Structures are given as C-alpha cells and as structure tokens.
Amino acid sequence: MNILIVGAGGREHALAWKIAQSPRADRVFVAPGNAGTAIESGVENVDISATDVGRLIEFSKQNSVQLAVVGPEAPLAAGMIDALGEAGIRAFGPSKAAAELEASKVFCKNLLRHADVPTADYRTFTDATSAITYLTDREDVPVVVKADGLAAGKGVIVCDNRDQAVAAVQRIASDREFGDAGSQLVIEERLEGQEASVLAITDGQTIVTLSPAQDHKPAHDGDQGPNTGGMGAYCPTPLVTDQMLGQIEEKVLVPTIHAMKRSRRPFRGVLYAGLMVGTQGLKVLEYNVRFGDPECQPLLMRLKTDVVDLIEATVDGRLEEIEPLVWDPRPAVCVVMASEGYPGKYENGQPIRGLDEASKLPDVKVFHAGTATADGQIVTSGGRVLGVTALGNSISAAKLQAYTAVKCIRWKGAWCRKDISDKALQ
Ligand code: AMP
Ligand code: GLY
C-alpha cells in the first residue's frame, strides 16, 4: 500500500522511518518532508506544502495513496482529514470538529468540566476589560493566561502575580499578539508539579494507551528560559506508574472520548493528554490531537508493533482487533539540537557536519526536523533542527548514548539542553 505522511518535522521523520519498515508499506511519501526524510530508506519527499489540501488530494489520486497520516495540528484544525475522506482517501487523524479539542482551549476546558475530568479551575473571557476586572476583584494568586486558539505553543503565559496576569491579558486580548487566537481567553489556576505526556490511539470506541513520556518545554537546563516546542523527551517516564496510567485511562481518557462522542465530535486519531502530576493530584493541562513532537521520536523508537496495522485499524474503526502493543523494554531519550537564537530569531542555511558519524553509533537514530538540502549539503532550516534519539539499557545509558551522538554533530551556533531525562533520575 502507498502511504502519504503530511508534515516536515521530527515527528514526521519518525513516522516515515517507522512506517517504511512495515512490510505492508510499498511507497512512503512525505509532503513536504525535510533533508532527513529525503535520504531515509524507502521514503520519498513530495514538494507540496502541508496545508495545500487540494494538491495533496490530487497527488494522492495520481499515486494511488491508500492511507494518509497528518502530523501537525494546523492542517488537522483546518479540516484536512475531512477533505481527504471526502476525496476517498483514508486518513489518520481527527476531523475538524474533533480537532477543536486542541484548536480551542475554551472548548477543551468546557468539555473537561462537563465530563468531570480533573483540570485546573478556570474562567473564560471574550474581552480584556472583563478579564482584568476579574483579576482585580479576586485574591492575588498565581494564574495562567491562555489565548484560546492555536499559537504554536506560545499563547500560554504562566504568571506569578496579578500584575503579570493583567499584562498577559493585554498582550493576548488587546495587543492581539497571537492574532485571532486571542479573541477568547482562559484564565486558570496555576498548578505545581511535574508534567507528563500520555498519548493514546483511539478509533472512538477502543483506546490503546502508549508508553508515558516526558517533554522538556523550557529552552534551558533546569527548566529555565522561554518556552519552546520541546527541547527533548524520553519514554517511559517513571513519573507515571502503571497504577497511575490505569487512573489516567479511567478518569481522563475514557470520559473524554465519551464526551466527544456525546457532543457529536467522535474522536479518531492520537489523543495526547498533557498532564500535571502534583500535590493536587493529577490534572489535565491541555489536549493535543496528534503525536507530540519530540515525544513521537522516542515513542516510535521503542514501538515494536507494526505502526501501519495500528493506524489502519484506527481509521477503519476496528482497533479492538489489535493485539496488545509490543515495546522494546529499553528506554529511549531524544535530545533536540537547535539553531542559535531559537525560540527567538535564528538564521537558516548553516551546513551540518558529523551526521554520518552519529548515525553509525549503535542504538542511535538521528531524526531531522528543520533541515534542508542546498548544493548537495544538509543545512539548517528551522529552530529545532535535529532530534538525536537513542535506546539504552537504562534511562541514564540512553541519555549517555544520545549525548555521545550529539557530540559528533556540529554547525555554527548549534546548542541543546544538557539535562534531558534528568528528571527521571531524581
Ligand atoms: P498548554 O499549551 O496549555 O499545555 O500550556 C503550555 C505549558 O504551560 C504547559 O506545558 C505548562 O508548562 C504550562 N501550563 C499550562 N497550564 C498551566 C497551569 N494551569 N499551571 C501551571 N502551568 C501551566
Ligand atoms: N511536545 C509538545 C507538543 O508536541 O505539543
């Protein structure tokens, strides 16, 4: 079967790498892909943007694509799964209506409240004045101010006090720093604790929970500095015990899937719960409706089950037939290497050296994210450039191997966090 993957990041490289290993895959296309998918065995890049649904449909028809996998949130929120389905192409991911769970924080919080899923207390607002009145009238406690819509992970402002919260409201609702994403906002109680990412695959009836992972959102070691798309991840995380995972299924995932069905938005695809595990117990911070990036990289490195079987069963609504997933028992650690200046401004086009040397190390896979090919060389082409991922007999062994590979790779201004997975070892 011919399979199309939509997207250009590290997550899509990991998906392409894993899907191409399936005996069920004939041709594997990535649109538009990156320099890593361009050289991946059994994978072909297609020069079509991840949002150009018209050309993606035309390409799929011409090339007998029988299954499409959409990686990023923007095309999901814009209704790409619906459009592919209408064109007769089976596609993995939620419908536009179901993708609201990520695309609107107001929708997500209201659904969580109705489904009685534990989440931070919150209020929603449609203008700056009422939000500021609310902040001024209540006790000065730490809150988080969130733009309703998609803002590439930047529309969430964690505040220590009222002054910061008022400034955050002004940025989101008055200055419209995140555009229309700020037409509504959520103000919620600030939670303390450790974050975990629990991803599950569901066809709307059956839920298959994946091994729990942990991301590292802040740019610098010790969780300092500005938020990023994610500077590294590892899985499994000891933060989420088996018993806790059972509770997450029962109290979080199952009621959410039921609530989506009741609100006539049946959910199919990857349901990613961002959780806070802390003194107040376990609470949902947010939902994403896709694989996390970089969580996808260590997850797929450990998954032994044929991912094409899993994806196809989800699309066809027969996930209950799938055997329990088989995992490599070894943990995996993914270290993101980034461009100088990220998550602020950065320059593209720096030639990357040492990729071959790193790839020769045992149990290492270098997933590309922001890379391109120029004059026959692989160059940087984004803020997050590579996701260097390794398996090891323990988390510390996987970490050591990932950083050994990182040391082989260099370009002008390359940097990474040095403490990925340390939270597991504390
Ligand atoms: P979100 O996109 O809603 O997950 O928010 C992005 C990041 O902001 C999360 O990964 C957390 O680090 C932080 N965050 C969001 N909501 C809260 C909260 N209620 N309390 C503390 N931190 C939060
Ligand atoms: N790793 C966080 C995300 O994919 O949103």
Side-chain angles (χ1 to χ4, degrees):
M1 147 168 73
N2 293 347
I3 303 170
L4 170 69
I5 297 151
V6 178
R11 162 183 51 213
E12 287 77 23
H13 187 183
L15 281 163
W17 168 80
K18 183 74 186 159
I19 287 173
Q21 288 169 35
S22 169
R24 309 218 18 245
D26 293 318
R27 296 178 78 182
V28 178
F29 304 107
V30 190
N34 55 40
T37 54
I39 53 170
E40 191 62 56
S41 157
V43 178
E44 302 164 57
N45 278 2
V46 177
D47 189 15
I48 302 177
S49 126
T51 50
D52 191 344
V53 64
R55 284 188 63 210
L56 289 170
I57 290 173
E58 190 186 292
F59 174 86
S60 298
K61 288 187 170 165
Q62 281 165 358
N63 292 278
S64 314
V65 168
Q66 283 145 309
L67 186 62
V69 179
V70 180
E73 61 275 20
L76 292 169
M80 188 173 281
I81 299 297
D82 313 61
L84 289 165
E86 280 158 26
I89 301 149
R90 290 188 306 160
F92 176 75
S95 64
K96 179 182 167 79
E100 279 279 289
L101 204 52
E102 175 167 358
S104 167
K105 292 195 190 288
V106 171
F107 173 81
C108 177
K109 293 293 290 191
N110 290 340
L111 184 116
L112 290 172
R113 183 184 272 165
H114 284 132
D116 212 10
V117 174
T119 190
D121 281 338
Y122 71 101
R123 291 273 302 265
T124 66
F125 301 90
T126 51
D127 65 284
T129 314
S130 54
I132 291 169
T133 307
Y134 166 76
L135 289 170
T136 338
D137 286 353
R138 73 196 289 255
E139 199 191 337
D140 188 357
V141 292
V143 295
V144 181
V145 184
K146 302 183 174 187
D148 174 57
L150 294 180
K154 298 191 186 106
V156 173
I157 304 169
V158 179
C159 308
D160 294 324
N161 53 46
R162 182 186 289 139
D163 290 347
Q164 288 179 6
V166 168
V169 167
Q170 278 158 345
R171 282 172 60 193
I172 294 172
S174 309
D175 308 345
R176 286 297 179 98
E177 199 174 306
F178 311 103
D180 284 347
S183 61
Q184 291 192 78
L185 43 91
V186 174
I187 300 182
E188 68 181 38
E189 153 201 27
R190 178 170 164 182
L191 304 172
E192 302 296 335
Q194 283 236 43
E195 287 177 50
S197 309
V198 173
L199 284 72
I201 297 194
T202 176
D203 60 1
Q205 305 283 344
T206 304
I207 295 176
V208 175
T209 307
L210 307 184
S211 182
Q214 194 169 40
D215 189 8
H216 296 68
K217 290 229 173 94
H220 306 307
D221 287 13
D223 283 345
Q224 301 299 307
N227 257 342
T228 68
M231 294 304 298
Y234 67 97
C235 122
T237 170
L239 180 68
V240 179
T241 59
D242 285 346
Q243 191 216 348
M244 210 186 281
L245 201 58
Q247 270 180 20
I248 293 167
E249 285 172 356
E250 187 192 331
K251 301 217 159 67
V252 173
L253 301 173
V254 169
T256 300
I257 298 296
H258 283 159
M260 289 299 281
K261 207 190 298 172
R262 277 200 305 277
S263 63
R264 296 204 177 77
R265 300 167 191 255
F267 193 96
R268 265 187 195 177
V270 180
L271 181 63
Y272 163 153
L275 301 162
M276 185 73 93
V277 183
T279 42
Q280 308 101 319
L282 206 150
K283 294 198 179 184
V284 175
L285 290 175
E286 65 163 349
Y287 273 123
N288 295 321
V289 299
R290 49 174 175 81
F291 281 109
D293 189 340
E295 291 95 324
C296 186
Q297 291 83 316
L299 271 167
L300 292 187
M301 192 114 168
R302 293 190 56 229
L303 183 66
K304 293 204 157 189
T305 300
D306 187 335
V307 76
V308 174
D309 288 341
L310 190 60
I311 288 173
E312 209 179 20
T314 307
V315 174
D316 295 344
R318 44 174 188 79
L319 201 49
E320 63 177 356
E321 292 171 15
I322 289 284
E323 297 286 326
L325 300 184
V326 183
W327 296 95
D328 191 317
R330 293 175 298 168
V333 172
C334 169
V335 177
V336 169
M337 295 182 73
S339 294
E340 185 172 15
Y342 175 79
K345 273 200 189 133
Y346 54 84
E347 260 175 43
N348 288 332
Q350 299 297 336
I352 306 173
R353 318 258 175 235
L355 287 166
D356 286 344
E357 205 185 320
S359 302
K360 279 189 199 123
L361 292 169
D363 300 319
V364 166
K365 177 69 193 172
V366 180
F367 294 113
H368 290 225
T371 64
T373 314
D375 302 328
Q377 291 195 94
I378 295 180
V379 299
T380 63
S381 172
R384 292 193 293 170
V385 177
L386 302 170
V388 181
T389 313
L391 290 162
N393 286 329
S394 60
I395 292 176
S396 41
K399 176 189 173 190
L400 183 65
Q401 189 69 344
Y403 281 104
T404 304
V406 163
K407 281 208 194 90
C408 301
I409 302 171
R410 57 212 171 266
W411 70 84
K412 192 171 154 271
W415 65 277
C416 64
R417 271 182 68 157
K418 301 286 187 288
D419 64 344
I420 300 303
S421 80
D422 283 0
K423 280 187 257 185
L425 309 171
Q426 280 161 12

